[in-house]
């Protein structure tokens, strides 16, 4: 009993420390690949591998931090509510772009992965890759995929979006604040929104609206795509 | 005092999450409970059932550490590292290609429709 409490405390403090230290590093140098979601995760994974600690043991503490995900998703409604004017003023282009993004993101992801012959469980984990991590993990879990893998695919989508995205959108002449904001938010969620901030406040607001609404539309459409693709 | 405000607001926000989970279970809704809670929160604010300041400061604080909360689940990849070995490499390519297609399709759609509406407004 005592040992369990100590283990829980240790891993909670360890996760917090890794996050805050890596966050300081990110704020100081501001390179995308230093984002704490990536670096802190790597530090913890390396620690567990080197000390030969099981993931279940880590989760004795980790589950407490994990339990904040649900309320945090609910809290996303507050920034969306604050941007309701922007949303209402551009309702048609914003909603259409996000819907197209969710449909293209889910259908091309599934079609390509199926083409390469990947298993059903991998397809289900890959399906919500354009959706913000906490929601993507829940979608995958409900459909029978692996939430941890979903989180990794979401991260790969985010990083490819911000690394290739700027030159790619320039090439396609996507340059209005709405175009750029939706492009980043609908494909690269929170990581894309952080990048959109470098373009301007309006781009970032549009991107954060795209991130939140992609999560809502994606939750509705994911089971539909599973059905369409006979998974 | 500040902590008490935070605690009360947090319990309030958590209540929406709990309600979302409950509705999901009761009516077998195929949506994540957190997304149901999100929609209820947005609806409640839009209907002005309570003022924004009831939840604003705690929501902002909670969201400023968002990446922290998904670290424990992401660490779980430790049990699936072999997925990315060999052929699994193509999974990464699939995600990158699909992400760029998503970006192009969503960005171009929004930009095109936005410009068309602007042009129509100017004509009037």
């Amino acid at each position: 009993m005592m040992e369990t409490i100590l283990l829980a405390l240790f891993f909670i403090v360890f996760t917090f420390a890794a996050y805050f230290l890596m966050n300081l590093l990110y704020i100081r140098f501001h390179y995308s690949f230093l984002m704490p979601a990536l670096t802190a995760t790597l530090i913890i994974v390396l620690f567990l591998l080197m000390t030969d600690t099981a993931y279940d043991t880590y989760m004795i503490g980790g589950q407490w931090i994990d339990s904040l995900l649900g309320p945090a998703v609910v809290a996303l409604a507050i920034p969306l509510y604050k941007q309701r004017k922007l949303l209402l003023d551009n309702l048609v282009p914003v909603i259409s772009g996000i819907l197209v993004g969710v449909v293209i993101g889910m259908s091309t992801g599934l079609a390509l992965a199926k083409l390469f012959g990947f298993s059903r469980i991998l397809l289900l984990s890959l399906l919500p890759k354009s959706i913000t991590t906490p929601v993507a993990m829940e979608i995958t879990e409900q459909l029978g995929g692996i939430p941890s893998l979903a989180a990794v695919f979401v991260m790969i989508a985010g990083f490819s979006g911000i690394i290739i995205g700027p030159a790619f959108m320039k090439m396609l002449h996507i340059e209005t604040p709405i175009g750029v904001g939706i492009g980043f938010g609908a494909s690269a969620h929170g990581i894309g929104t952080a990048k959109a901030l470098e373009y301007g406040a309006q781009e970032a607001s549009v991107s954060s609206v795209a991130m939140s609404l992609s999560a809502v539309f994606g939750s509705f459409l994911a089971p539909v795509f599973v059905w369409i693709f006979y998974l | 005092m500040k902590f008490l405000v935070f605690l009360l607001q947090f319990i309030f926000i958590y209540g929406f999450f709990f309600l979302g989970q409950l509705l999901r279970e009761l009516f077998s809704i195929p949506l994540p409970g957190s997304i149901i809670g999100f929609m209820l929160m947005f609806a409640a604010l839009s209907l002005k059932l309570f003022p924004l300041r009831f939840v604003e400061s705690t929501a902002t604080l909670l969201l400023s550490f968002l990446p922290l909360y998904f670290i424990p689940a992401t660490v779980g990849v430790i049990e699936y590292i072999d997925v990315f070995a060999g052929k699994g490499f193509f999974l990464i390519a699939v995600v990158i290609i699909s992400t760029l297609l998503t970006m192009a399709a969503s960005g171009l759609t929004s930009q095109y429709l936005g410009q068309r509406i602007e042009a129509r407004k100017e004509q009037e």
Side-chain angles (χ1 to χ4, degrees), chain A residues 99-114:
Chain A
L99 264 179
V100 167
V102 171
V103 170
I104 295 292
M106 291 192 164
S107 58
T108 60
L110 282 184
L112 286 169
K114 218 175 176 182

Side-chain angles (χ1 to χ4, degrees), chain A residues 55 82 93 108 129 138 173 175, chain B residues 34 56 72-73 98 102 110-111:
Chain A
Y55 177 59
K82 285 203 231 168
T108 60
K129 68 181 182 336
E138 261 198 273
H173 300 290
E175 48 214 3
Chain B
S34 60
E56 192 176 12
S98 174
T102 306
S110 292
Q111 174 163 296

